[in-house]
DNA sequence: CCTAATGTGTCATCGAGTGTCACAATCTAC
DNA sequence: GTAGATTGTGACACTCGATGACACATTAGG
C-alpha cells in the first residue's frame, strides 16, 4: 500500500478521476444548479456509472465540499502554531483571516463558495462539518502548552469566530464587489469579547 | 375559510391529527432513534398512509421542528419589544435567556431538544431555520424607532448570540444535570463584545 | 505468470419525497 | 334537506440519493 509518497498507478488514476468528476460536477452545477443536476447526470457526463460516482464521493455534497473539509486541518494547525501569549480571539482572527485570503486566491474556490452560499443543502452540510471543525479548533486552543483556557470558553470563542466568518461570507456572497478579507477583519473587530480571557 | 378563530371541523381535525402524528413520531423516535424510524412506520402507527403524512408535514424533520420554528416569532417579538436604550447584546441575552427557560418548562420540549442535539440531520435543519430567524432578528434589532444600528453589525451580534445559545445547548445536551439557563447566561457574559455599539 | 487485492458495471433495494387520480367527506348555497 | 364546489384521503407509480450484492476486469506483487 502506498498512501502519500510514491502514489502508484492506482492512487494516481483515483485522484485524476476525482478531480475530473469534481470539475464536471461543478460545471453542471453552475450551469443548471445543484438540485437540478442529478448524480446520474454527473456520472454520465464523466463517463462512469452512478455506482462508481458514489465510490469516489460518498455523498453528492462531497463533490463540492471534500477539499473544503481538508482545509479544516490547516485551520487547526494554524491555531496550534499561534503564540501562546496571544489572546485566543486574535489567534482565531489571524488564522481565519488567512483562510479568507486563501479562498480568494483562486477563482474556482470563489465560485464554489458562492455556490455553497446559494444552496441551502450545501450550507446545511457546511454547518455540520463546521461543527466538527469547531470542536477540533477549540481543542487545539486549549491543548497548547502553557495555556489554561476553560473548555467552555474555548468553544464559545470558536463558535463566535465561526459566526463572524459565516456572516462575513454571507454578506460577501450578496455583493459581487465586496472585499471578503475586509469584511472578516471588521467582523472580528465588532465581535471582540470584552472579557479578558488572557492576561 | 376560517383560520385562527372559529376553527371549524376541518381545521380542528387537522390540528388533532397533526398533534397525534407528532406524539406518535416522537414516541417512535425516542424508542428506536430518528434515522431508524421510517415515515412509513410513523404513518402505520398513526393509522394513515405515507402520502397523508406528507400532507401534514412536508418533510420528516418537520414533525420534530415545526413548533420550534413557531417559537421564532416570539423571539422576534421579544427583541422588538426591548427598550431602545438597551445595548443590543443585552436585548439578545434577555430574550434568548427567556427562550431557554421556556424550553425547560415542559419535559416534552426538553426531550425534543435532546433529540435534536443528538441527531445530525435535525441539527442541520435547525441551523437552516436559524439562519432565517437570525435574519429576522437582525431586522427587528435595526427597525426599532430611534435606533441607528448598522445592518452588518446587527447580523454579527445576532449570529454571535446564536453561537452562544448553540454552544450552551450543546454543552447542556452532554450533561443531564447541567443548568441550561445558567450556561446561556455565562455564554452571553463571555462573548459580550467590547465595542460599544450603543452609547 | 499466477493470484490476491482492488476497481467497475449491472441489478436490486431502501427511504424520502412528489404527481396523479379516483373516491369520500365536508362545506356552501339554495 | 339536497346539489355542487371544495378539500382530505388512499393507492399507485415515479424520481432521486444512497447502499448491498455479485460478476467481471484490471492491477499489484511475489
Amino acid at each position: 500500500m502506498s498512501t502519500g509518497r510514491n502514489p502508484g498507478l492506482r492512487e494516481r488514476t483515483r485522484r485524476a478521476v476525482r478531480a475530473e468528476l469534481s470539475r464536471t460536477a461543478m460545471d453542471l452545477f453552475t450551469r443548471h444548479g445543484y438540485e437540478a443536476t442529478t448524480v446520474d447526470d454527473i456520472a454520465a457526463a464523466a463517463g462512469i456509472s452512478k455506482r462508481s460516482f458514489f465510490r469516489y464521493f460518498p455523498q453528492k455534497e462531497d463533490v463540492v465540499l471534500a477539499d473544503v473539509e481538508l482545509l479544516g486541518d490547516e485551520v487547526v494547525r494554524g491555531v496550534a502554531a499561534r503564540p501562546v501569549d496571544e489572546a485566543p480571539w486574535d489567534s482565531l482572527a489571524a488564522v481565519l483571516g488567512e483562510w479568507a485570503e486563501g479562498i480568494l486566491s483562486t477563482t474556482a474556490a470563489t465560485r464554489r463558495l458562492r455556490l455553497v452560499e446559494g444552496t441551502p443543502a450545501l450550507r446545511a452540510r457546511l454547518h455540520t462539518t463546521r461543527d466538527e471543525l469547531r470542536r477540533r479548533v477549540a481543542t487545539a486552543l486549549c491543548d497548547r502548552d502553557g495555556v489554561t483556557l476553560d473548555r467552555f470558553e474555548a468553544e464559545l470563542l470558536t463558535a463566535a469566530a465561526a459566526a463572524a466568518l459565516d456572516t462575513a461570507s454571507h454578506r460577501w456572497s450578496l455583493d459581487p464587489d465586496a472585499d471578503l478579507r475586509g469584511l472578516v477583519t471588521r467582523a472580528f473587530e465588532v465581535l471582540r469579547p470584552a472579557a479578558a480571557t488572557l492576561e
Side-chain angles (χ1 to χ4, degrees), chain A:
Chain A
M1 185 190 317
S2 53
T3 60
R5 32 212 80 243
N6 186 23
L9 181 57
R10 239 157 200 163
E11 191 62 22
R12 254 185 298 141
T13 54
R14 178 172 176 79
R15 292 184 193 183
V17 174
R18 265 181 78 99
E20 169 65 18
L21 271 176
S22 203
R23 249 178 287 122
T24 306
M26 283 301 298
D27 182 45
L28 291 173
F29 289 158
T30 48
R31 279 196 298 172
H32 310 304
Y34 177 81
E35 322 273 1
T37 307
T38 72
V39 173
D40 264 320
D41 292 338
I42 305 169
I48 66 172
S49 71
K50 183 179 82 168
R51 194 64 183 87
S52 281
F53 173 91
F54 283 109
R55 287 196 250 257
Y56 284 96
F57 298 99
Q59 298 184 11
K60 184 186 178 184
E61 297 148 3
D62 292 331
V63 82
V64 180
L65 295 173
D67 355 348
V68 174
E69 295 175 15
L70 289 181
L71 241 82
D73 295 341
E74 275 185 54
V75 173
V76 174
R77 255 182 281 118
V79 167
R82 278 271 135 185
V84 186
D85 60 336
E86 185 181 51
W89 187 251
D90 291 326
S91 303
L92 292 167
V95 172
L96 294 179
E98 280 175 35
W99 175 89
E101 285 195 346
I103 284 294
L104 297 172
S105 62
T106 67
T107 56
T110 304
R111 194 161 46 224
R112 177 166 51 208
L113 185 52
R114 288 206 189 271
L115 178 67
V116 173
E117 287 290 336
T119 309
L122 292 175
R123 270 188 65 86
R125 166 64 182 268
L126 191 62
H127 273 302
T128 304
T129 68
R130 198 143 54 188
D131 274 5
E132 183 69 30
L133 180 58
R134 265 168 31 183
R135 218 167 309 135
R136 289 170 56 205
V137 170
T139 305
L141 269 180
C142 292
D143 280 7
R144 292 173 298 173
D145 287 340
V147 174
T148 46
L149 181 60
D150 181 43
R151 173 79 208 199
F152 186 52
E153 285 190 16
E155 282 176 8
L156 282 167
L157 293 173
T158 310
L165 192 62
D166 192 49
T167 307
S169 308
H170 186 251
R171 179 44 69 105
W172 166 81
S173 77
L174 298 177
D175 178 4
D177 301 324
D179 165 33
L180 178 58
R181 179 65 206 254
L183 287 171
V184 171
T185 302
R186 194 171 150 223
F188 273 91
E189 277 170 22
V190 171
L191 290 187
R192 172 184 300 280
T197 43
L198 211 64
E199 76 286 347

